[in-house]
Amino acid sequence: MKINILSTIMLTIPIMKHKNHSRILILLFLPLLYMKAQKKAENDVIAIRNVNIITMTLENKIIDNATIVIEGNKIVSINDLIPTSAKIINGKGKWLIPGLIDMHIHGLTDSFYSSTYPTKGATFFFNTQDVMTPYIASGVTTIFDLNARAENFGQRNEIIKGNVIGPRIALAALIDGGNGSGRIANNPADGRQTVRIAKAEGYEFIKVYSNLNVETFHAIVDEAGKQKMQVVGHIPDAFKGKINQAFISNFGMVTHAEEFAKQSENYSDDDILKFAKLAKENGTWFSPTLVVIERITDQARSLDSIPKLRGFQYIHPLMQNKWLNSNQYHNRRSPEFIAYLERMIKFNNRLVKAFNLAGVPIVTGTDAGCSGVVWGFALHDEIELLVKAGLTPGEALASSTRLPATWLGINDKLGTIEVGKYADLILLDSNPLEDIQNIRKISGVFFNGAWIDEKKIDRMLSDLAKRNAENKDKFDWKKRKDF
């Protein structure tokens, strides 16, 4: 085949050389592209030797001093022969875990904040690789966007095409009630039609929000089931005093521990046990997002914590400016607000412990994108907070790998380290089962089989931080509508 391509090029050049010089250059470059592709194919096998594998399977199997072979984007063998063409990575003393999954993010996409008109389009543009780089640095290989937009489909396609390195992306369409913007439904018929439209647009899940009335919530959840779409989200305020009516078939997961807190008058243990029983009996999972209330509390006290956040220098200058100069949580600061948040944090921790003891599956989510919650990096904080709330390190790792993959319906593809699954993996310098903070000690990551070592990660982060610093003064959140 290579001879045929070269022959075609050589035959074509004389015919075209006087007509189109740019086409000649393209044709001359084709053999180089072909050889580059051939070279990539030859090195498309990677073996990690002498590594300790935390498989995260149901059996909690750990394979010591193992050899794992990755070909393309799949795991092809564990403790089998190493192909002679394989690139070898020394895993001595290191630990391999599945890539992490953040089940609650709000991603940055090209946006406009001012009045619009036909043909205007976005006024702020975000480089997709820059948006995804913090996930790479944190080993977050799958994300779940809970208020997705059309632009998120484009970002996902860029990753799938290989133009950008980044996580797999699951997309949920948000539906709310009331008089706001976006997908609004205030009666059952509109609720069902909104679900059908979201399905036709390509969304995979439905997120329900706080202002839905009881009848419309029930219709949305029912219609989503008919459309084979799981429902995730808030417990609408309309269920205050009758929370049991919210737990119906296909209401698959509650996001935010505070959704239960707002249903409790006195934050009692009795209420916690009641909530745990409702979720367990209905098969409703739980994503506590503990980190977001922690960060809101920090900001209510002071904005000094913002520049000190791990990963702050890697977020876009527009968002840096918003968090520092237009911070809604700091603007609400008062002793009463801080006391309320501190009380909620204690309740949330008790809730997590009770739900775990009751056998309600818990998955990690961060609400990344909210002020103070840094994409990628915040998932490490969330995992550590789950351990602080009473989960073991192994349970917290399951909550960020196997269990999210199961809820998303992709556990046959990822979430554990097994032959045949996608190579979404993190190589750690130390054992996270001994100290959960070791999830931060990343030696390298595999994103869909693409190996990115620590040095490359550091270069990507350094370049991103430098660009953000250089552009810092070009973005002012308060003036965003002027564009």
Side-chain angles (χ1 to χ4, degrees), residues 237-266:
D237 297 340
F239 287 101
K240 182 72 173 179
K242 47 187 176 184
I243 186 175
N244 59 303
Q245 295 181 28
F247 285 82
I248 60 175
S249 177
N250 201 47
F251 185 30
M253 181 162 61
V254 174
T255 57
H256 298 302
E258 57 267 29
E259 289 302 303
F260 292 101
K262 72 182 184 183
Q263 295 286 336
S264 178
E265 294 291 345
N266 55 8

Side-chain angles (χ1 to χ4, degrees), residues 21-276:
H21 292 287
S22 62
R23 290 182 70 181
I24 293 172
L25 290 174
I26 292 171
L27 289 167
L28 285 170
F29 193 62
L30 275 175
L32 298 177
L33 290 175
Y34 181 82
M35 288 185 286
K36 184 177 179 181
Q38 286 289 93
K39 185 176 180 181
K40 185 179 185 300
E42 291 171 0
N43 294 328
D44 206 17
V45 181
I46 299 175
I48 310 176
R49 298 180 62 180
N50 301 318
V51 68
N52 302 303
I53 302 175
I54 303 175
T55 62
M56 293 313 305
T57 57
L58 284 171
E59 301 81 12
N60 295 317
K61 186 177 182 181
I62 298 175
I63 309 174
D64 297 322
N65 296 315
T67 295
I68 183 169
V69 176
I70 296 156
E71 184 172 350
N73 63 352
K74 295 284 185 70
I75 299 168
V76 295
S77 71
I78 297 175
N79 282 341
D80 206 339
L81 296 175
I82 301 176
T84 56
S85 62
K87 173 185 175 181
I88 305 297
I89 295 173
N90 183 10
K92 185 68 175 178
K94 299 185 185 298
W95 297 78
L96 194 68
I97 65 171
L100 303 177
I101 302 175
D102 191 334
M103 290 289 280
H104 189 160
I105 71 100
H106 299 284
L108 281 179
T109 63
D110 296 344
S111 307
F112 67 89
Y113 297 101
S114 57
S115 60
T116 187
Y117 54 79
T119 77
K120 183 177 183 180
T123 52
F124 288 90
F125 299 91
F126 301 95
N127 180 282
T128 302
Q129 186 60 74
D130 288 350
V131 170
M132 300 304 164
T133 292
Y135 294 117
I136 294 172
S138 307
V140 179
T141 57
T142 301
I143 56 177
F144 189 16
D145 196 306
L146 293 190
N147 187 13
R149 304 166 51 204
E151 290 82 357
N152 295 116
F153 287 94
Q155 289 180 331
R156 182 165 71 177
N157 290 340
E158 288 301 297
I159 293 169
I160 292 171
K161 288 187 290 187
N163 298 333
V164 170
I165 300 172
R168 303 177 194 279
I169 306 175
L171 302 172
L174 185 149
I175 305 176
D176 199 6
N179 300 311
S181 59
R183 300 177 190 86
I184 300 297
N186 290 306
N187 61 65
D190 286 351
R192 290 183 183 278
Q193 181 64 5
T194 306
V195 170
R196 291 191 286 264
I197 292 171
K199 175 73 171 183
E201 290 174 344
Y203 291 95
E204 299 140 345
F205 302 90
I206 296 295
K207 181 181 180 181
V208 287
Y209 214 63
S210 301
N211 295 314
L212 291 167
N213 63 50
V214 171
E215 294 78 14
T216 305
F217 171 88
H218 284 162
I220 288 170
V221 176
D222 179 69
E223 184 63 36
K226 292 179 179 179
Q227 300 296 329
K228 301 189 186 312
M229 304 171 78
Q230 288 201 85
V231 176
V232 57
H234 292 199
I235 301 170
D237 297 340
F239 287 101
K240 182 72 173 179
K242 47 187 176 184
I243 186 175
N244 59 303
Q245 295 181 28
F247 285 82
I248 60 175
S249 177
N250 201 47
F251 185 30
M253 181 162 61
V254 174
T255 57
H256 298 302
E258 57 267 29
E259 289 302 303
F260 292 101
K262 72 182 184 183
Q263 295 286 336
S264 178
E265 294 291 345
N266 55 8
Y267 292 174
S268 68
D269 289 338
D270 287 343
D271 280 349
I272 288 176
L273 293 175
K274 178 178 74 173
F275 299 152

